[in-house]
């Protein structure tokens, strides 16, 4: 009899947890609106060893499924396209034409992100000669 209770105990515990009235599902905040902030990257030097740091200020507009980097800056090109996200990753599909010979960053590819309704932080690691690309943006409206 004790042996039967021993096998029944995990089943009872599982049912107790499954039937619990607590529901702690937190919805993922949808990144939408206008953002401004700093773009940064670590890029391998073209001569010698080590890395160069690239920083620039950008403006980003996110709607329900599309994005637009508002203005062309010294190190980041204006771009637009679609994006999708889940609780951990955000993916940008850049629809702007790539101009040969222009060596600027585009908002494209998959990034890990954090968004709390005000602050949007995104990071992508290891892409060829680039060690990391980061965006630290704040919602403006």
């Amino acid at each position: 009899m004790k042996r039967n209770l021993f096998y029944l105990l995990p089943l009872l515990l599982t049912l107790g947890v499954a039937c619990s009235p607590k529901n702690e599902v937190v919805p993922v905040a949808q990144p939408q609106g206008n953002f401004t902030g700093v773009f940064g990257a670590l890029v391998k030097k073209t001569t010698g060893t080590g890395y160069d740091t690239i920083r620039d200020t950008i403006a980003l507009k996110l709607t329900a499924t599309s994005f637009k980097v508002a203005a062309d800056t010294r190190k980041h090109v204006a771009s637009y396209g679609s994006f999708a996200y889940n609780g951990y990753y955000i993916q940008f599909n850049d629809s702007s034409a790539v101009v040969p010979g222009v060596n600027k960053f585009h908002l494209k590819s998959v990034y890990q992100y954090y968004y709390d309704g005000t602050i949007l932080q995104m990071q992508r690691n290891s892409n060829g000669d680039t060690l990391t690309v980061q965006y630290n943006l704040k919602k403006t409206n």
Side-chain angles (χ1 to χ4, degrees):
M1 183 66 170
K2 286 183 181 180
R3 190 171 73 185
N4 290 340
L5 288 176
F6 180 72
Y7 291 117
L8 189 58
L9 185 61
L11 177 64
L12 292 174
L13 288 173
T14 303
L15 286 174
V17 170
C19 295
S20 173
K22 290 185 178 180
N23 186 3
E24 298 182 16
V25 176
V26 178
V28 177
Q30 182 176 7
Q32 264 189 342
N34 294 320
F35 299 86
T36 58
V38 177
F39 152 78
L42 282 175
V43 180
K44 191 172 187 177
K45 290 184 178 183
T46 55
T47 58
T49 60
Y51 290 88
D52 286 328
T53 303
I54 295 172
R55 293 176 57 96
D56 213 340
T57 303
I58 68 159
L60 172 66
K61 180 178 183 175
L62 297 175
T63 62
T65 59
S66 65
F67 78 93
K68 182 177 181 182
V69 176
D72 199 356
T73 65
R74 291 178 297 128
K75 300 294 181 178
H76 202 286
V77 70
S79 56
Y80 63 91
S82 63
F83 80 98
Y85 68 96
N86 63 20
Y88 305 102
Y89 299 100
I90 188 166
Q91 178 177 2
F92 295 93
N93 300 310
D94 188 3
S95 297
S96 57
V98 177
V99 179
V102 176
N103 192 15
K104 293 183 180 183
F105 283 89
H106 286 253
L107 184 54
K108 63 181 181 181
S109 194
V110 177
Y111 296 80
Q112 286 183 312
Y113 83 102
Y114 166 79
Y115 181 62
D116 66 358
T118 304
I119 303 295
L120 176 61
Q121 296 175 326
M122 303 180 292
Q123 179 174 338
R124 181 184 79 208
N125 293 327
S126 188
N127 184 15
D129 67 345
T130 305
L131 184 63
T132 186
V133 178
Q134 295 180 348
Y135 293 85
N136 292 310
L137 308 170
K138 187 172 184 179
K139 191 169 186 177
T140 57
N141 66 351

